[in-house]
Amino acid sequence: MQNKNLYLLLFLSFLISITGCSKQTTPQNTTVTSPSGNILVAFQLDKNGAPVYLVNYKDKAVIDTSSLGFEFKDQAPMANGFKLIGAANTSFAETWEMPWGEQRVVNNNYNELIVRLQEINAPKRKLNIYFRAHDDGIGFRYEFPQQKGVDSLIIMDENTQFKLTADHTVWWCPGDWDSYEHPYYTTRFSAIDAQKMNGSALVNTSCIPENAVNTPVTMRTDNGLYLSFHEADLLDYAGITLKINPVSLSMTSALVGSERLGYKVKRALPFKTPWRTIQISESAKDLITSRLILNLNEPNKIGDVSWVKPQKYVGVWWEMHIDKATWDMASGRHGATTANAKRYIDFAAANNIGGVLVEGWNTGWEHWVGFEDREGVFDFVTPYPDYDLPEVVRYAKEKGVDIIMHHETSSAPRTYEQQLEKAYTLMQSLGIHAVKTGYVGKIIPNGEHHHSQWMVRHYQKVYETAAKYQIAVDVHEPIMDTGTRRTYPNAISREGLRGQEYNAWSADGGNLPEHISIVAFTRMLAGPIDFTPGVFDIAIASKPNNQVNTTLAQQLALYVVIYSPIQMACDLPENYEGQPAFQFIRDVGVDWEQTVVLNGEVGDFVTIAREERGTGNWFIGSVTDENKRDIEVIFNFLPAGVNYQAKIYQDGPRAHYRDNPRDIKIEEMIVTNETVKIFTLAPGGGLAISLKTVK
Ligand code: NOJ
Ligand code: CA
């Protein structure tokens, strides 16, 4: 590692050599530092006029000199031969409010550098690059400005490089063009081998063309610095994967492609790419409270969203995943009947749960997974004959419960788009304000991928159309969140990871006990997760070969650890009846005034406290991996002088995720901001605490 001054000196001499202006007294500044001064980004053109940048943290390089560029169809690549035609530094500071979220008030402070480049030789194309330095990381994006002779561009790939400074420890998922539903692996950077995972029994529908990783990908340097790489504001562009070069210890962007169209991105000028982001922090826990990715998105574009309701929900769902019922009607074991939906509505109404999801209500389920010709099959307005949709909605309303609509597209997005207006008109007429969508299977048309530009556009069209009908959307098999919920706050939640469902049926024994302690520092940095916590029948009585690899206390902790404004209580009502631990799910909030991460280490454990909006109540969740662990909770995040009635749900003395997952101890005590307490978490265990102010 070299120090900042040396880099700056080198850059200065680069600048002088390429501009040939050794007499120039004030060379343009092409660096930018974060408001705190800890992070520095320096841009430069090297001796070939190739754009390069580096990133320092506290005077030490965290990203070595790395290259930037593009390849196009029918055009020379943009890689070198540029001159600097302008540079400007600006500063920005604002606070803004999240309509719903992990916290209400967000600070957005940064310094920005814009560099304007032009090719020295014909065709003299122009390219601008924006670099933003925040205190919690950096973002940079390219802009193709309006220019003579170029109306649109067909991008064959974007070559954004991230050159690491050493062989860091990495928490990664294979760079898959269709699925984020892989387990996370922990290896040194040089040992990443994504393709080894391709075709393994662990993988759902997937395309992993190179040794690449999906983002967010998180790393720890041997000096204890944390880095997480992702993107922000992904609209009308292809999703990113990062190609791994295990020898040079560098990553280069590889955009998700389309074999159907033969390119990665097509756009008319002018346009800006998504931000390339690096979150940087000295502790793992600060990654979770970083709002860099949200801050790099545009403010709310859809206006009033008071109809977006953060809430808990139950649903006709887990019973299909554990083979007790089916989505289709032909089997004779149909889950979505009027009577069954009413049973869930009654349960929700009695237990402080606002929503009920009913999957399998509409026709088409006889012909989805396993069928090639899925176009025109699902119908989003026609219920099965044993499901009386208006009656279910009427009954729910009478009980004060909202129905959550379900639209499984079976990855036939054109069929869905054809019916969007009709389907949302029906929802509007019934007063339904939320839909869960799904994209199971290979995308039709062939050659498209879940994360390609064509699909990014599709998901966007769904959000925009839904907003017109005051509908919030929870997408399964989504494009990864990149903070666009700031701009479109009806984008309430997404799957985009191995969710709870894998515990019901995956052949590999389900999610490992360490899963959530990795997810909290990787996938969760992207945005809300519809994980569907709350399994109480942990051994899954009806599935002898499957079980959930957590204790019951960990299932409770997930409501706080995992952030989503909609949280399912996913188990069957009968598994909750008479269970004292269910009180935590009745009580827990879903919309937060603030979030404090008390402690955590990637892949090991994490403890999060969140204050509920409007009540002043706090909730704490803590999870550990396969190791038993003592967690110290220092309650000094609470306001002084207030007494809280704490209800503590912790692993019992004999609890173990494998053979004794339901051993739980529930006790109450008074807690103040001076309380300090140590809790023992079992292997695969957890801790959940509700804290209500004592009036
Ligand atoms: C996959 C989703 O993740 C799951 O939640 C849903 O039940 C099925 N698709 C059916 O739509
Ligand atoms: Ca899924």
Side-chain angles (χ1 to χ4, degrees):
M1 287 204 199
Q2 303 173 37
N3 69 34
K4 176 169 92 180
N5 296 338
L6 185 57
Y7 273 109
L8 285 178
L9 216 68
L10 277 172
F11 279 173
L12 217 64
S13 60
F14 271 150
L15 189 77
I16 289 166
S17 71
I18 64 120
T19 53
C21 294
S22 46
K23 278 186 228 98
Q24 186 178 327
T25 45
T26 50
Q28 276 175 304
N29 176 31
T30 54
T31 66
V32 60
T33 47
S34 60
S36 69
N38 286 343
I39 298 176
L40 170 121
V41 187
F43 170 82
Q44 194 49 268
L45 290 170
D46 74 6
K47 61 180 188 309
N48 300 316
V52 296
Y53 76 102
L54 65 79
V55 184
N56 281 357
Y57 184 78
K58 290 193 174 167
D59 295 345
K60 295 241 167 69
V62 287
I63 299 295
D64 259 325
T65 305
S66 298
S67 54
L68 304 165
F70 286 89
E71 288 160 41
F72 306 102
K73 190 175 175 187
D74 306 328
Q75 286 214 28
M78 280 184 174
N80 50 41
F82 282 104
K83 66 180 177 190
L84 186 71
I85 57 171
N89 284 78
T90 54
S91 294
F92 185 82
E94 67 169 351
T95 57
W96 58 279
E97 285 203 15
M98 296 172 77
W100 46 267
E102 301 93 321
Q103 66 197 72
R104 198 166 51 79
V105 179
V106 180
N107 291 323
N108 180 19
N109 300 343
Y110 60 82
N111 295 323
E112 183 174 79
L113 162 72
I114 308 173
V115 293
R116 299 182 196 287
L117 309 176
Q118 185 168 22
E119 289 172 323
I120 295 165
N121 299 321
K124 299 193 175 180
R125 292 170 300 182
K126 289 180 183 166
L127 173 70
N128 301 332
I129 311 175
Y130 295 70
F131 293 92
R132 282 192 190 167
H134 296 242
D135 285 338
D136 51 346
I138 68 137
F140 59 91
R141 78 180 338 170
Y142 306 90
E143 178 182 36
F144 294 93
Q146 197 88 58
Q147 49 194 291
K148 275 207 198 95
V150 195
D151 299 328
S152 67
L153 284 172
I154 296 179
I155 298 176
M156 299 305 283
D157 225 328
E158 174 191 317
N159 298 323
T160 298
Q161 194 189 34
F162 303 92
K163 213 157 185 283
L164 306 176
T165 53
D167 193 10
H168 306 322
T169 300
V170 187
W171 291 273
W172 59 275
C173 260
D176 192 319
W177 287 10
D178 283 292
S179 175
Y180 307 105
E181 298 185 9
H182 295 263
Y184 279 92
Y185 301 96
T186 309
T187 66
R188 287 284 173 172
F189 183 86
S190 59
I192 294 175
D193 187 351
Q195 278 164 316
K196 208 163 101 192
M197 305 309 152
N198 201 1
S200 87
L202 305 175
V203 177
N204 202 356
T205 47
S206 59
C207 170
I208 309 174
E210 336 198 29
N211 187 17
V213 295
N214 277 339
T215 62
V217 56
T218 298
M219 309 184 183
R220 184 176 59 216
T221 72
D222 286 350
N223 299 325
L225 196 69
Y226 294 82
L227 308 172
S228 187
F229 299 80
H230 188 39
E231 58 179 326
D233 197 16
L234 167 59
L235 298 173
D236 201 359
Y237 202 79
I240 202 172
T241 70
L242 296 173
K243 260 183 301 184
I244 302 299
N245 186 327
V247 179
S248 67
L249 301 180
S250 67
M251 303 189 288
T252 306
S253 58
L255 300 176
V256 173
S258 158
E259 293 91 351
R260 181 175 75 101
L261 299 171
Y263 58 76
K264 305 272 176 98
V265 171
K266 183 173 180 181
R267 287 287 298 267
L269 267 54
F271 74 92
K272 291 174 180 158
T273 69
W275 295 95
R276 305 328 182 179
T277 62
I278 312 173
Q279 284 158 289
I280 305 171
S281 73
E282 289 179 22
S283 74
K285 65 195 177 97
D286 290 347
L287 289 176
I288 295 175
T289 45
S290 159
R291 299 290 164 248
L292 176 77
I293 288 166
L294 275 173
N295 279 331
L296 287 169
N297 279 268
E298 299 295 316
N300 179 353
K301 266 194 189 146
I302 62 173
D304 170 56
V305 285
S306 50
W307 40 270
V308 173
K309 258 207 225 162
Q311 64 184 9
K312 287 165 272 184
Y313 69 103
V314 290
V316 181
W317 181 76
W318 188 242
E319 53 184 275
M320 277 84 90
H321 286 273
I322 62 172
D323 277 353
K324 282 202 146 175
T326 60
W327 284 273
D328 70 271
M329 197 178 144
S331 71
R333 296 186 296 127
H334 192 205
T337 63
T338 307
N340 201 25
K342 287 187 175 179
R343 187 170 76 97
Y344 280 86
I345 292 167
D346 289 340
F347 179 79
N351 289 289
N352 188 31
I353 286 173
V356 172
L357 165 78
V358 184
E359 294 199 1
W361 68 276
N362 59 326
T363 60
W365 290 89
E366 283 76 13
H367 202 93
W368 70 306
V369 172
F371 291 88
E372 288 291 319
D373 54 337
R374 287 165 278 122
E375 206 82 271
V377 172
F378 269 119
D379 178 319
F380 302 99
V381 293
T382 307
Y384 279 120
D386 59 347
Y387 186 71
D388 185 342
L389 175 64
E391 169 57 14
V392 169
V393 173
R394 186 205 62 77
Y395 187 77
K397 202 174 246 148
E398 184 182 301
K399 298 272 174 164
V401 170
D402 299 318
I403 292 296
I404 299 173
M405 185 44 96
H406 186 239
H407 293 159
E408 170 57 62
T409 68
S410 69
S411 284
R414 291 183 301 205
T415 293
Y416 190 38
E417 286 191 17
Q418 278 158 14
Q419 297 183 51
L420 268 190
E421 303 275 348
K422 202 166 71 170
Y424 294 166
T425 301
L426 172 68
M427 286 177 61
Q428 194 178 43
S429 73
L430 295 167
I432 300 178
H433 288 285
V435 63
K436 170 180 169 179
T437 61
Y439 295 82
V440 169
K442 268 175 83 70
I443 299 287
I444 307 173
N446 214 353
E448 286 301 340
H449 296 279
H450 284 73
H451 313 156
S452 64
Q453 182 190 20
W454 189 77
M455 277 304 287
V456 170
R457 279 187 178 159
H458 165 78
Y459 292 118
Q460 186 58 20
K461 180 170 184 176
V462 170
Y463 288 128
E464 285 175 3
T465 313
K468 284 197 303 186
Y469 291 87
Q470 302 198 330
I471 291 168
V473 190
D474 166 26
V475 188
H476 278 231
E477 299 80 37
I479 181 67
M480 184 59 77
D481 200 350
T482 58
T484 52
R485 66 178 154 135
R486 182 179 177 191
T487 318
Y488 301 94
N490 66 327
I492 42 171
S493 202
R494 303 179 201 215
E495 191 187 40
L497 86 170
R498 271 172 73 107
Q500 182 91 278
E501 61 187 32
Y502 275 79
N503 297 323
W505 40 251
S506 83
D508 64 6
N511 299 329
L512 295 174
E514 67 172 7
H515 190 51
I516 299 299
S517 67
I518 301 178
V519 163
F521 300 97
T522 50
R523 162 67 182 84
M524 202 165 84
L525 306 188
I529 305 176
D530 189 30
F531 185 80
T532 69
V535 173
F536 272 40
D537 175 18
I538 291 189
I540 314 181
S542 60
K543 304 268 320 229
N545 295 326
N546 295 90
Q547 86 157 66
V548 181
N549 293 317
T550 74
T551 65
L552 180 55
Q554 177 168 132
Q555 286 296 311
L556 301 182
L558 297 180
Y559 288 86
V560 188
V561 169
I562 293 177
Y563 172 66
S564 175
I566 53 159
Q567 286 280 28
M568 189 173 207
C570 78
D571 211 337
L572 314 177
E574 54 269 39
N575 291 334
Y576 293 136
E577 293 298 355
Q579 295 293 326
F582 189 66
Q583 189 56 41
F584 184 79
I585 299 182
R586 286 191 193 100
D587 291 339
V588 69
V590 281
D591 195 20
W592 310 109
E593 180 68 25
Q594 52 175 319
T595 287
V596 184
V597 182
L598 303 180
N599 49 55
E601 209 37 81
V602 192
D604 297 337
F605 66 98
V606 61
T607 310
I608 301 182
R610 303 194 196 260
E611 182 193 353
E612 189 178 26
R613 286 195 198 184
T615 66
N617 295 334
W618 284 81
F619 297 87
I620 298 175
S622 181
V623 302
T624 179
D625 58 4
E626 69 282 5
N627 297 307
K628 181 174 175 173
R629 193 180 299 276
D630 283 347
I631 295 284
E632 184 181 49
V633 177
I634 304 172
F635 290 84
N636 63 0
F637 57 87
L638 294 170
V642 185
N643 287 337
Y644 288 86
Q645 183 68 37
K647 194 156 184 185
I648 300 164
Y649 304 76
Q650 57 180 315
D651 294 318
R654 284 170 300 282
H656 190 293
Y657 73 89
R658 206 178 302 120
D659 41 35
N660 198 6
R662 286 173 57 129
D663 184 18
I664 194 163
K665 195 167 87 188
I666 304 174
E667 57 193 8
E668 300 203 30
M669 64 182 278
I670 297 291
V671 157
T672 71
N673 81 328
E674 288 175 0
T675 307
V676 176
K677 211 170 147 50
I678 292 175
F679 301 93
T680 302
L681 275 57
L687 164 74
I689 305 177
S690 64
L691 295 158
K692 293 189 185 174
T693 48
V694 179
K695 300 259 158 57

